[in-house]
Amino acid sequence: MNSTDTTLGTAGGGTDRRRWFALAIVMTAAFMDLVDVTIVNIAIPSIQREAGASFSQIQWITAGYALAFAAGLITGGRLGDIHGRKRIFLVGIGGFTVASALCGLAVNPEMLVASRFLQGGMAALMVPQVLSIVHATFPAHERGKVFGLFGAVVGLGAVSGPLLGALLTEWNLFGWEWRSIFLINLPVGVAGLILGSRFITESKAPRALKLDLVGVALVTLGLLMLIYPLTRGRELGWPVWGYVSMAGSLVVLAALVAYERRKTARDGSPLVELSLFRVKSFAAGIAVQTVFGVALGVFFLVWTLYMQIGLGWSPLKAGLTGVPFSIAVSVAAGMSVQKLVPRFGRKVLQAGALVMAAGVLLYIWESGHYGLDIAPWQMALPLVVMGVGMGLIVAPLTDAILSEVPREHAGSASGLINTVQQMGNALGLGLVSVVFFGSISDHLRPEQIGPAFADAFQNALGWVAAVMGTIFLLMFALPKRPAQHVEGGQEPVGEKEPALV
């Protein structure tokens, strides 16, 4: 490897321990980001009640983070390639901590929305470095194990966020109410900043790159033009300019592709490395990741609204209800990479899509069958089925997308992976206005709220099931069997933990 692509060390003894310490630190940062998304979901009704936020502002508190995250992720990955992944990671985690403090100190919903945008932007600097550092540090035969750990972190973040959010909201520490869900990031962020500066060794791309400012502007503008009208459309009565903006976003994104081609030919340092899409595993995985993000964006928001507003459950009751789902995700994610994908390949991911769709359909049936008297234990079965399905997808999909990517493009690839996931998530959150709130009347009497939210929940889950069916079909574009590749050729046969490519 080029000497400028410094790793955390591959020798034995102390150097190995150093890179595993660094892995723990960057995984903690990824965990903090995951928790911050899920912890907000469970506190949404509290924010609406205590801060006086409207449903539109609630959507922006969630979608604003995802939008800023998506718009900045490619840039964040490229900045890590140029200026050093450790340096940008530390800037990101420091900024994320400051933004969390501003969220916790927000004096009105508008300040909270603005702070969430800032928080998403800082996460866009921090998160791409996680996968970049892993990809540049660990050889291919170890990445399966590392991505298995990453899948477990995803599951742990999913289970910890709702529980932590529920407990902090219920306990009302120091009279902070919902604010403590943001302020809890401060000690974690400070610790990550201190330990990261000590244990993470710097790494950069092996050749000098330039930041593509025109590319940054085009990708940000394109995403804003697409997602903003979706999020505000229902509130504003679906004005004509919204449709014009969404159509125009496709023109802007097409201009981005044309410009990036010229940029590649001119100086070889585009923001989006279009050559990555010639790698079949990368292109197919990106498509799956985008659509999967839409499904998750819809489900998690409407699920929270259904339990806490429709059924009238407390945050703690709603948070505990999600525990079986999160545990199932964590367990299945670890098993899929370590045991199942090396043996069965693409079939594992396709089985995950079908299993998750089956869980969603079962949830729809139970919601209709039990009505407003449904109990948390009755939700356990569909949530476990959904969690197993999601776990079979999340960890091996990341490995599939990155496994053939050259290390010099690790930052770009990581940024694209997270960008399309967050773009899908933001699209899903925007579509909540259509598939959920679109089924609810603007003027409901108190006795009508529960039935209306239950019906809207079932309608939204019908869309989620349809999306999972689409994902199943898209997965046919993934290679059938796992294999191992590194820069310059295939690794020796017999190496353990093969990655799906």
Side-chain angles (χ1 to χ4, degrees):
M1 185 184 300
N2 191 300
S3 60
T4 58
D5 193 0
T6 312
T7 72
L8 304 179
T10 56
T15 307
D16 269 341
R17 287 195 297 271
R18 180 181 176 88
R19 68 176 174 148
W20 286 101
F21 276 131
L23 176 66
I25 295 163
V26 296
M27 287 294 188
T28 299
F31 174 80
M32 185 167 65
D33 166 62
L34 289 164
V35 166
D36 202 72
V37 174
T38 55
I39 203 172
V40 169
N41 281 338
I42 207 70
I44 278 174
S46 176
I47 295 173
Q48 184 190 25
R49 182 177 60 253
E50 303 295 338
S54 66
F55 280 121
S56 174
Q57 288 169 327
I58 288 298
Q59 279 186 275
W60 275 112
I61 289 168
T62 51
Y65 181 94
L67 180 57
F69 200 11
L73 274 167
I74 300 176
T75 305
R78 179 59 76 200
L79 286 172
D81 286 346
I82 298 171
H83 298 293
R85 293 150 189 159
K86 172 183 176 179
R87 179 181 298 176
I88 300 302
F89 173 81
L90 294 177
V91 170
I93 196 171
F96 189 89
T97 304
V98 171
S100 297
L102 292 174
C103 288
L105 298 173
V107 296
N108 53 46
E110 291 78 13
M111 180 178 174
L112 179 55
V113 169
S115 300
R116 285 286 284 170
F117 268 95
L118 177 62
Q119 198 179 32
M122 292 298 102
L125 295 179
M126 176 178 70
V127 173
Q129 316 316 322
V130 175
L131 292 179
S132 295
I133 290 169
V134 168
H135 191 66
T137 300
F138 291 87
H141 72 272
E142 287 187 341
R143 285 186 215 135
K145 184 181 297 182
V146 172
F147 284 124
L149 290 173
F150 185 75
V153 167
V154 169
L156 186 60
V159 69
S160 300
L163 277 179
L164 192 57
L167 289 172
L168 291 172
T169 304
E170 289 277 321
W171 289 340
N172 190 20
L173 297 175
F174 310 109
W176 288 344
E177 297 171 340
W178 54 268
R179 300 176 187 277
S180 56
I181 68 171
F182 297 109
L183 299 176
I184 195 69
N185 287 333
L186 271 60
V188 180
V190 170
L193 194 61
I194 295 171
L195 296 175
S197 63
R198 177 178 179 183
F199 287 105
I200 299 175
T201 302
E202 188 62 278
S203 66
K204 296 182 180 180
R207 62 186 177 87
L209 298 169
K210 299 177 182 178
L211 183 60
D212 179 7
L213 294 176
V214 175
V216 171
L218 287 173
V219 74
T220 303
L221 177 62
L223 290 174
L224 283 170
M225 289 175 65
L226 178 62
I227 296 170
Y228 182 80
L230 276 177
T231 306
R232 298 282 321 268
R234 177 181 177 273
E235 177 191 8
L236 299 176
W238 298 107
V240 174
W241 66 259
Y243 294 101
V244 173
S245 177
M246 287 187 282
S249 71
L250 301 179
V251 177
V252 172
L253 293 175
L256 170 68
V257 172
Y259 175 79
E260 293 301 288
R261 285 176 178 165
R262 290 198 300 271
K263 179 74 170 172
T264 301
R266 186 167 64 247
D267 60 19
S269 58
L271 177 67
V272 180
E273 193 63 48
L274 297 177
S275 63
L276 291 171
F277 291 93
R278 290 197 290 268
V279 179
K280 184 180 179 182
S281 59
F282 183 84
I286 284 291
V288 172
Q289 188 85 294
T290 304
V291 182
F292 193 45
V294 172
L296 299 184
V298 170
F299 174 73
F300 284 112
L301 180 56
V302 302
W303 186 33
T304 296
L305 296 171
Y306 165 65
M307 288 189 294
Q308 293 194 52
I309 298 179
L311 300 178
W313 291 1
S314 69
L316 183 58
K317 186 175 182 179
L320 290 172
T321 300
V323 170
F325 171 82
S326 300
I327 292 175
V329 172
S330 183
V331 173
M335 288 184 60
S336 63
V337 170
Q338 296 293 319
K339 304 294 182 183
L340 299 178
V341 170
R343 183 174 179 183
F344 300 107
R346 182 182 71 193
K347 293 179 182 178
V348 175
L349 286 88
Q350 290 185 297
L354 294 179
V355 169
M356 190 168 178
V360 171
L361 293 174
L362 181 58
Y363 209 162
I364 293 172
W365 179 84
E366 287 202 353
S367 176
H369 180 73
Y370 295 108
L372 300 183
D373 295 325
I374 192 170
W377 67 267
Q378 291 166 327
M379 295 184 182
L381 178 59
L383 288 173
V384 167
V385 175
M386 288 177 62
V388 169
M390 181 176 171
L392 292 176
I393 296 172
V394 285
L397 182 58
T398 301
D399 197 10
I401 298 171
L402 277 180
S403 55
E404 286 188 320
V405 172
R407 290 189 182 181
E408 64 266 24
H409 298 316
S412 292
S414 299
L416 279 168
I417 291 170
N418 287 284
T419 292
V420 298
Q421 181 182 0
Q422 293 301 320
M423 182 175 69
N425 187 260
L427 283 169
L429 289 165
L431 287 170
V432 168
S433 291
V434 179
V435 302
F436 185 77
F437 290 120
S439 302
I440 299 175
S441 171
D442 291 331
H443 304 288
L444 293 174
R445 297 190 301 273
E447 66 273 13
Q448 294 176 318
I449 292 176
F453 272 65
D455 289 343
F457 176 69
Q458 294 164 34
N459 181 66
L461 258 61
W463 284 95
V464 173
V467 169
M468 296 312 301
T470 303
I471 289 171
F472 170 78
L473 296 176
L474 286 173
M475 285 177 176
F476 278 105
L478 294 173
K480 292 182 179 179
R481 302 297 307 169
Q484 285 185 318
H485 294 269
V486 293
E487 315 90 317
Q490 194 168 11
E491 286 192 18
V493 176
E495 292 287 347
K496 57 185 178 180
E497 321 294 7
L500 178 65
V501 299

